[in-house]
Amino acid sequence: MNFAIIAAGEGSRLVQEGVALPKPLVDLDGRPMIRRLIDIFVACNAESISIIVNEHMTQVREYLEKLRDELQVPLRLVVKSTPSSMHSFYEVSSVFPAGSKFILTTVDTIFRPDDFMRYAQAFQADDSCDGYMAVTEFIDDEKPLYIDVDGNDIITAFRDEPFDGVKYISGGIYGLTTPAISILEQCMANGVSRMRNYQRALVAAGLRLRAYNLGKIIDVDHAGDIATARQFLSE
């Protein structure tokens, strides 16, 4: 299994709220949040880890370049500023190993390691689906993406508004296979923007995506979320 992290945001809200460190280097459990993700991926027997950071995050780039020399797993680093997470995904996908399953997440998506490891193992073992989208019943997002599923938890739609019978929202963790990269390239060529619209394109193209309930997931968007994430991880 290969893993990827989008860490190319500006983190402007945290800066405005008095957080001096770049978001990926904020300490949540004795480690920078990006190192925490890397450690989880290594524990999941990662074959490679690909990361994109923006051109202004020199501290983050230097940290990862130093860390790359210590890791036993190949770390592929892309340094490029992008206008959105979907564009970041496109840029970092250029260094993915060909023909392999991968799991992509944003750097500020916080979850329990054991929950994630079970998710990665389930995705690795299931060859009947084109993707495993991590979902949660815990709504902590400013603009949730609601997930519509059939009786087998196969995703039928991604919705911006809640609806009767809604079970899940997107957890911001994407387990995908090679066909998803082709759809990503088509979206880029057609001027599609935003990850949620890309996910809709996956469903429209007929890809079979399973919703996997990862349990509680927290996003670190504001300074106050740091304390929430630390408490969550200490429980």
Side-chain angles (χ1 to χ4, degrees):
M1 181 76 73
N2 297 280
F3 297 88
I5 302 170
I6 293 174
E10 298 289 342
S12 56
R13 281 178 290 192
L14 291 186
V15 172
Q16 292 168 2
E17 294 168 5
V19 179
L21 280 174
K23 184 191 289 189
L25 299 183
V26 170
D27 183 336
L28 296 182
D29 64 348
R31 296 168 290 181
M33 68 171 72
I34 196 165
R35 178 60 190 264
R36 178 178 177 272
L37 281 178
I38 291 169
D39 288 346
I40 292 171
F41 296 161
V42 170
C44 290
N45 299 316
E47 298 172 46
S48 72
I49 300 172
S50 303
I51 302 175
I52 180 169
V53 300
N54 71 53
E55 294 163 318
H56 307 293
M57 282 190 175
T58 54
Q59 277 182 275
V60 181
R61 175 179 55 78
E62 291 168 359
Y63 175 84
L64 292 172
E65 287 175 343
K66 181 178 179 181
L67 180 62
R68 180 164 52 189
D69 296 333
E70 303 172 9
L71 288 179
Q72 300 300 312
V73 175
L75 194 158
R76 299 178 169 94
L77 182 60
V78 175
V79 180
K80 187 167 185 177
S81 298
T82 62
S84 73
S85 293
M86 197 188 89
H87 288 78
S88 294
F89 176 22
Y90 175 74
E91 295 296 340
V92 77
S93 70
S94 66
V95 298
F96 288 176
S100 62
K101 290 184 175 182
F102 62 90
I103 295 176
L104 170 83
T105 183
T106 52
V107 71
D108 56 356
T109 301
I110 311 303
F111 43 78
R112 293 188 175 95
D114 289 349
D115 292 337
F116 184 86
M117 292 179 75
R118 284 190 289 270
Y119 158 70
Q121 289 166 357
F123 178 40
Q124 181 67 55
D126 189 351
D127 291 326
S128 69
C129 292
D130 298 299
Y132 262 50
M133 304 307 231
V135 299
T136 180
E137 298 175 0
F138 179 74
I139 300 179
D140 183 53
D141 198 299
E142 294 177 344
K143 295 181 180 179
L145 179 62
Y146 299 90
I147 310 295
D148 203 348
V149 297
D150 66 14
N152 295 312
D153 276 347
I154 299 301
I155 296 172
T156 57
F158 294 92
R159 304 185 186 277
D160 291 325
E161 302 296 334
F163 54 91
D164 289 342
V166 62
K167 293 172 63 178
Y168 306 124
I169 65 167
S170 172
I173 304 168
Y174 318 96
L176 294 167
T177 54
T178 301
I181 298 297
S182 299
I183 303 301
L184 176 63
E185 292 169 348
Q186 293 172 23
C187 285
M188 292 293 294
N190 294 331
V192 173
S193 62
R194 305 188 71 190
M195 282 294 289
R196 59 184 58 198
N197 292 328
Y198 164 66
Q199 291 176 82
R200 292 183 176 114
L202 294 175
V203 173
L207 271 64
R208 181 178 171 86
L209 306 175
R210 184 175 300 281
Y212 183 98
N213 188 354
L214 197 73
K216 189 174 181 179
I217 300 173
I218 293 175
D219 289 331
V220 177
D221 293 319
H222 296 279
D225 297 332
I226 297 172
T228 301
R230 286 172 177 163
Q231 177 63 34
F232 169 55
L233 294 176
S234 70
E235 293 171 353

